[in-house]
Amino acid sequence: MVHDALTPGQASARLHELTVIDVRTPGEYATGHLPGAQNVPLDHLDTALPTLRTAAERGDLLVVCASGARSAEACRRLAEAGVPAATLTGGTSAWTQLGHDVHRPAGVRAPWPMERQVRLTAGTLVLAGLLAGRLRPGARWISAGVAGGLVFSALTDTCGMARLLAKLPHNRPKSTDLDATLTALRG
């Protein structure tokens, strides 16, 4: 792969020749993914490594996520294993903002995007901590803890709350059939 990252425009022009790997959770993948993308959640990347290596030998890999952070992590891990791959700059968010097509599995009700779930949960916890703090002043520490977590999240470009929320049943509509995905990638 010539580039470590492709813009949505570059990826769109080359989509027919790329093997697209979406490393988001199955729930996020269900909200809409690049045409032809295969879902290999980031936490299954090591299991899929041999198949991804074979796919990369046949053609260029493009790794995508919502914003580009997880796909950059996946590309780093793939590079350490000797598998070349590029990330999609700005992720599926940038892809859809530019009006590119996304596919959604038929009959699957997609949960809210993870960023929206995080905002709702963080806001609810801060508000609950402040309201409960009127009766028990120590409850304000809930709000302080959430605020600290948000600052840490921004500084490290990670989100512990999103990782926790991703484990909830509504964010896992159906587990990724990793065996079927790997079989499709081998073909």
Side-chain angles (χ1 to χ4, degrees):
M1 172 114 358
V2 176
H3 302 96
D4 292 332
L6 295 177
T7 66
Q10 292 169 324
S12 178
R14 296 188 53 207
L15 197 57
H16 64 282
E17 66 187 51
L18 297 170
T19 299
V20 182
I21 306 298
D22 192 319
V23 295
R24 296 177 299 163
T25 65
E28 290 173 293
Y29 178 79
T31 65
H33 53 271
L34 274 67
Q38 297 289 332
N39 187 216
V40 178
L42 187 59
D43 57 348
H44 294 292
L45 192 67
D46 292 337
T47 302
L49 190 57
T51 303
L52 294 174
R53 178 176 285 113
T54 301
E57 290 169 358
R58 287 193 314 265
D60 292 338
L61 293 183
L62 177 65
V63 183
V64 301
C65 68
S67 67
R70 284 177 285 178
S71 60
E73 165 69 14
C75 284
R76 182 191 63 74
R77 288 170 52 188
L78 289 169
E80 287 175 358
V83 179
T87 184
L88 178 65
T89 304
T92 55
S93 297
W95 179 268
T96 55
Q97 285 174 355
L98 292 172
H100 295 294
D101 188 32
V102 293
H103 290 185
R104 290 175 179 82
V108 175
R109 184 177 166 265
W112 282 1
M114 189 56 65
E115 182 182 332
R116 185 176 182 190
Q117 292 182 52
V118 168
R119 289 193 316 257
L120 175 69
T121 304
T124 301
L125 288 171
V126 167
L127 187 59
L130 292 174
L131 291 175
R134 297 189 75 187
L135 300 174
R136 297 200 178 264
R140 291 187 183 126
W141 284 105
I142 295 170
S143 301
V146 171
L150 291 171
V151 169
F152 179 79
S153 175
L155 292 174
T156 61
D157 198 22
T158 62
C159 187
M161 188 177 291
R163 287 187 180 149
L164 287 174
L165 291 172
K167 295 182 185 303
L168 293 176
H170 69 275
N171 284 324
R172 296 184 171 268
K174 283 187 180 177
S175 205
T176 296
D177 185 351
L178 191 59
D179 290 334
T181 299
L182 297 179
T183 299
L185 286 169
R186 285 184 200 109

